[in-house]
Amino acid sequence: MEQRRVTDFFARRRPGPRIAPPKPACRTPSPARPALRSPDSATSGSRKRTRPPADPGRDQASPLARRRLRLSADEVSSPSTPEAPDSPKTPDIPACPSLGQKIKKSTPAAGQPPHPTSPQDQDTISELASCLQRARELGARVRALKASAQDAEESCTPEAEGPPEEQWGEKAPAYQRFHALAQPGLPGLMLPYKYQVLAEMFRSMDTIVGMLHNRSETPTFAKVQRGVQDMMRRRFEERNVGQIKTVYPASYRFRQERSVPTFKDGVKKSDYQLTIEPLLEQEADGAAPQLTASRLLQRRQIFSQKLVEHVKEHHKAFLASLSPPMVVPEDQLTRWHPRFNVDEVPDIEPAALPQPPAMEKLTTAQEVLARARNLISPRMEKALSQLALRSAVPSSPGSPRPALPATPPATPPAASPSALKGVSQDLLERIRAKEAQKQLAQMTRCPEQEQRLQRLERLPELARVLRSVFVSERKPALSMEVACARMVGSCRTVMSPGEMEKHLLLLSELLPDWLSLHRIRTDTYVKLDKAADLANITARLAHQAHAEEGL
């Protein structure tokens, strides 16, 4: 028995709806001419639309999809749309009719003889001339305004930009010009920013040279330059190597050598290269010296010390230029003069590095003839001499350039005598001597004295805070731990409890009759005299700080 398909079964039991045939693509009738339907097509049951009848005057063979848009005669004759009555107009330039309309009206049509000028055409030409004249006046006014603005800007430029040195010279950023003022910690012999950068370059250069030297590889400037720039993210050039040689001449030996093995395509083996050899002390056992970590640290400290000595020379010249001049021993100098601008110390002059020997190159026929006169035949010599005569160009000797006048050294401006008119000369001398003595004491002060002075400046405020703590606690004595904790929370200056304890010890040392310390077993207790006058206590502390600062 033949097996029927499942699809045939469902098609017999449940016949689906009949699928309508696809509709043809509808064509949109032209908007300018609505489609007309015949009366017989409206009554017929066919869904197919009838094609609208074509005009008898048009081409019957051209299909509907390829017809081009044809504008009516009214649209062609009026290309410009008239303005709306509410549209704004520019007050300066009068509204003129469309230039295209005027030209069209004044231009005769093709194939027609030119007609005589009518009064309407004369009005149009006069309006065009007035518009052109108005545009010229506005252009002249704009040019005059630009010229006046440019003159005003040029007159204000010298006052705003300052002297020509600051205008054309490249000004360093603020973090370099005020680097010494922004350093934390106690003041000391701070180096300028550019000197610190040079010290970091020496450390990086010594590290790279030590790595190459320890593995018996010849250190060249190209290798060291690439390594230092990768470490510092800063440009490293031969000028910096010359500055390092000026500061620490006994650190390296520089030579120009050939046949140095390289792994770069741009450098030939026959080219001269600058080699850098570290100068080290010979080992006791006769082995090859190595740049160990201890030697790197020692060389770094020597370089920093030499930089400080270089700044001390400029500081000594600055002290000699003061009025009255000051002399400070170098071994007692602990900080720079207050008016000495550290960051304005001039750069270190780079030392001369070995240069590759000059290779003589023959560029003209005359040089070739002079060099190979004994090696060529007379005929060749005659040909080269003729070529040299033809190629020689008579040149007039150039006039020597006038020598530029040397710039005189800048001298500090002297004090104006009119500003000190009427002041006793003896009083001025005493004031200057006292100021010089104070600055001398300030420059020779050790770091421990500097810390003591800073604590003395904070003591008047801490005395008021300590008395308020005792008043609020309502106790005759407090332990050192509790007193320090209360004062740390109440003082404006951020300090640790250990630093606060040092201030209390100094306070008890200066004023034992007002603040006393009592040690009981393992704890230390602080006892305060609340009946004492606080104003007298703060005055005594301020006098003590002023007296020690003047020493």
Side-chain angles (χ1 to χ4, degrees), residues 281-287 295:
E281 297 179 0
Q282 192 69 25
E283 297 288 346
D285 53 356
R295 286 185 174 178

Side-chain angles (χ1 to χ4, degrees), residues 118-158:
S118 61
Q120 185 178 2
D121 295 342
Q122 294 179 356
D123 296 342
T124 303
I125 294 174
S126 62
E127 290 179 2
L128 289 174
S130 62
C131 290
L132 182 59
Q133 182 66 20
R134 181 61 176 171
R136 289 176 179 174
E137 293 177 359
L138 291 176
R141 189 186 305 175
V142 168
R143 286 192 295 271
L145 290 175
K146 285 184 179 180
S148 61
Q150 186 176 3
D151 295 342
E153 183 179 357
E154 290 178 357
S155 62
C156 296
T157 298

